[in-house]
Amino acid sequence: MKRWLYLLHRWLGVLLALFMAMWFISGVVMMYVGYPKLDEAERLAALPPLDAARCCATEVQTLTRAPATLRGARLVSVAGAPRWVLTHTGREVRALDAVTGEPIATVTGAHALAAAQAFMPGVAAWHEGTLDEDAWTHSKALDAHRPLHRIQMADAAQTVLYVSSRSGEVVRDASRTERAWNWVGAWIHWLYPFRGGALDAYWHDIVVYGSIAATVLSLLGVLVGVWRWRFRGAYRGGAKTPYREGWMRWHHVLGLLFGLTTVTFIFSGLMSMNPFKVLDSGAPRLEQRLARAGGQLQHVSFTLPVREALQRFADDGLIVRELEWRNVAGQAYYLARGRHGQSALLRADGAGDTPVQGLDAATLRAWAQALVPEARVTGAEVLTRDDLYYYQREPHTMSGGSRPALPVLRVKFDDPHATWLHLDMRSGAVINQLDAHRRAGRWLFAFLHSWDWPALLALRPLWDAWMIALSVGGLLISTTGVVIGARRVARKWPFRAARAPQAHAA
């Protein structure tokens, strides 16, 4: 039995050691340069102030004409002109001219170029064409905006902007530095060479089954390493390891030192893919809960004219860059956002005259209860600092820049799925839903893969040193495995066997 496990470890290593080495190198790169994305701070900083005098005479008709699938509505400026951007079930995006209320049927190359130059004023640019997907736009978040217009900017960073063909908004930016580092970062780490081509349909399975095989390889390595190590006594010559050849000896010793953390890195990467839906509990999705509780926009009345709302926000000191329609606890609100992410709420049904900075915990707790009516609230807590289940990461990281700042309200329920809801106290938005399966996933993926324990993250550069040390250990195991595997293949290579009879005959 041991012999078969040795052989399985050996030949899995021949197949996968190089991939694992690339994963460790690219993982360190991703600590500092993430996959290109346009985060909320960048997007808001690039938006001009909304001009109340130019828009919105038809906002009420815009909403009443919208189908029941409407999930969200925002007023923004695109290429200097006000525009409604509507999001529907299934993430379909439509845009309407905010002056006339007419649909934006086509976003041409010229329109996309104008939007990009408004996003980066004073910078020359040229339209490079439209595309469905390229190396920097694999994210599912962009699916609703495809095909995308690619705009090359002539700034010092050689930024590429991607413009939605649905709304005309800039939806992604990628600087030359990001693009260069990502060839050895996220593009390799996520096996994106298999995306966008003939193997695109199989990418998910390649990642999942490749990660399973690499996890088995690593576990077998730890097992074999322990079996072969003399904890009591020594081999002939006084060594604890039976291997005299340098590469084999180092592979054995490094495997004992870093083998378990290598297993956790590979396994947690597998869990990021939610293989076989193991992290899905069967609980209703958040969208289903909102629809059942009447949380759609059609269930509330927006009667306050947008022009007047913008003026009230301005009188309160907030220059609005984006205005969003919201249904919070069955009440209509306008959510206004400023250049630096500051926000305020205003009742949109005429019931409130003054913007407020947020909603009270009692109102949001009642709204949370309405979303999970079948269960009893077992706890409600206002979070004012990061904890193990709600914390901020750097904007360039995979989850960074996507969570509202504190405070947030956490509401816990006693339903069979042990559901938690997090609600943003500034906007009233339900940020996420965490059931027991998803909380387990936080540990099986996020913690094991990134060691994102808030107490450790607060001690940078200690976190950096820890992550780099573990990654270097995994890299050394993988690199020695590559050398050992290459030597093994060279010895077994069929041409060597084929040349031997010829040399004997000569």
Side-chain angles (χ1 to χ4, degrees):
M1 180 64 177
K2 285 186 177 181
R3 173 171 172 75
W4 287 107
L5 293 178
Y6 292 159
L7 289 173
L8 181 58
H9 175 68
R10 175 186 298 169
W11 291 108
L12 280 176
V14 169
L15 293 172
L16 297 172
L18 183 58
F19 281 99
M20 292 175 64
M22 292 190 299
W23 277 333
F24 284 108
I25 294 171
S26 57
V28 172
V29 172
M30 290 177 66
M31 288 170 56
Y32 304 102
V33 183
Y35 191 65
K37 64 179 176 179
L38 182 67
D39 64 42
E40 194 72 355
E42 292 176 307
R43 187 180 69 86
L44 289 173
L47 290 175
L50 288 171
D51 185 355
R54 292 190 59 196
C55 74
C56 316
T58 58
E59 71 270 6
V60 175
Q61 292 85 346
T62 297
L63 183 56
T64 56
R65 290 187 315 186
T69 58
L70 184 67
R71 294 178 57 240
R74 297 178 293 117
L75 176 66
V76 295
S77 292
V78 176
R83 184 168 298 182
W84 290 110
V85 179
L86 309 180
T87 305
H88 297 268
T89 302
R91 295 189 176 182
E92 177 192 357
V93 172
R94 294 193 307 124
L96 303 106
D97 187 302
V99 177
T100 66
E102 293 301 314
I104 305 296
T106 304
V107 176
T108 66
H111 294 152
L113 186 61
Q117 291 182 303
F119 187 88
M120 297 179 64
V123 178
W126 58 93
H127 186 266
E128 293 190 331
T130 59
L131 52 88
D132 189 61
E133 196 169 339
D134 68 4
W136 318 122
T137 57
H138 290 312
S139 305
K140 286 188 176 182
L142 299 176
D143 286 353
H145 299 283
R146 305 185 197 278
L148 302 168
H149 295 272
R150 179 177 165 122
I151 310 294
Q152 178 65 62
M153 308 302 294
D155 62 321
Q158 289 294 293
T159 303
V160 173
L161 297 181
Y162 295 89
V163 177
S164 168
S165 65
R166 306 298 180 185
S167 68
E169 297 175 283
V170 174
V171 292
R172 172 144 302 183
D173 64 343
S175 69
R176 177 174 54 192
T177 299
E178 287 177 316
R179 298 194 305 272
W181 277 109
N182 262 270
W183 290 118
V184 290
W187 195 76
I188 286 292
H189 200 77
W190 295 336
L191 299 186
Y192 274 177
F194 297 109
R195 291 293 303 271
L199 295 175
D200 186 74
Y202 305 101
W203 171 78
H204 179 273
D205 289 343
I206 290 171
V207 176
V208 167
Y209 289 105
S211 298
I212 290 173
T215 301
V216 171
L217 165 65
S218 302
L219 281 170
L220 286 175
V222 173
L223 185 61
V224 169
V226 170
W227 280 343
R228 299 291 281 165
W229 187 260
R230 286 284 173 86
F231 291 94
R232 293 182 180 179
Y235 288 94
R236 185 179 301 175
K240 295 287 187 179
T241 175
Y243 305 109
R244 297 183 180 182
E245 193 274 328
W247 290 104
M248 288 291 294
R249 179 185 290 262
W250 277 110
H251 188 69
H252 189 196
V253 173
L254 289 166
L256 290 173
L257 290 174
F258 295 101
L260 284 178
T261 54
T262 298
V263 171
T264 61
F265 274 134
I266 303 301
F267 173 75
S268 57
L270 166 66
M271 297 310 295
S272 73
M273 302 297 293
N274 189 16
F276 316 113
K277 306 298 182 182
V278 296
L279 298 179
D280 291 349
S281 67
R285 300 177 66 85
L286 181 56
E287 293 81 3
Q288 295 172 317
R289 294 191 186 279
L290 287 167
R292 186 176 61 186
Q296 297 171 318
L297 293 178
Q298 287 83 1
H299 295 150
V300 291
S301 178
F302 291 81
T303 57
L304 180 68
V306 168
R307 290 181 180 178
E308 186 175 341
L310 291 174
Q311 187 58 55
R312 292 188 189 180
F313 284 118
D315 292 343
D316 199 52
L318 178 59
I319 305 302
V320 181
R321 305 294 175 125
E322 178 180 71
L323 193 71
E324 182 179 354
W325 286 338
R326 297 203 62 85
N327 175 349
V328 181
Q331 304 293 337
Y333 284 91
Y334 290 125
L335 172 65
R337 295 187 177 93
R339 177 183 179 87
H340 301 293
Q342 66 272 43
S343 65
L345 286 166
L346 178 65
R347 288 286 292 267
D349 55 7
D353 296 329
T354 306
V356 295
Q357 297 304 308
L359 299 176
D360 61 87
T363 299
L364 292 178
R365 173 175 170 154
W367 178 226
Q369 179 68 82
L371 295 174
V372 192
E374 72 278 10
R376 182 175 59 90
V377 173
T378 59
E381 176 187 9
V382 175
L383 305 180
T384 57
R385 61 180 182 178
D386 290 353
D387 73 358
L388 293 172
Y389 293 97
Y390 195 92
Y391 53 93
Q392 300 290 347
R393 294 297 309 274
E394 294 291 330
H396 69 270
T397 61
M398 188 167 64
S399 61
S402 61
R403 291 183 172 178
L406 297 169
V408 301
L409 177 69
R410 174 184 293 153
V411 185
K412 301 179 181 180
F413 298 89
D414 66 354
D415 63 312
H417 305 289
T419 300
W420 294 3
L421 296 180
H422 289 106
L423 297 94
D424 180 14
M425 300 191 71
R426 288 188 175 88
S427 69
V430 184
I431 302 166
N432 62 27
Q433 171 181 277
L434 293 179
D435 57 33
H437 281 62
R438 291 293 172 179
R439 292 196 294 277
R442 178 265 181 275
W443 296 103
L444 295 176
F445 165 51
F447 178 73
L448 291 180
H449 210 65
S450 303
W451 285 81
D452 53 357
W453 178 29
L456 183 58
L457 290 172
L459 296 176
R460 299 188 70 173
L462 179 60
W463 175 85
D464 301 69
W466 175 252
M467 291 295 294
I468 291 173
L470 295 182
S471 299
V472 168
L475 174 62
L476 292 174
I477 293 174
S478 305
T479 302
T480 54
V482 169
V483 175
I484 294 167
R487 289 180 172 182
R488 174 67 59 175
V489 170
R491 288 199 297 269
K492 297 290 186 179
W493 194 250
F495 291 119
R496 290 177 62 89
R499 285 201 304 266
Q502 296 174 3
H504 181 72

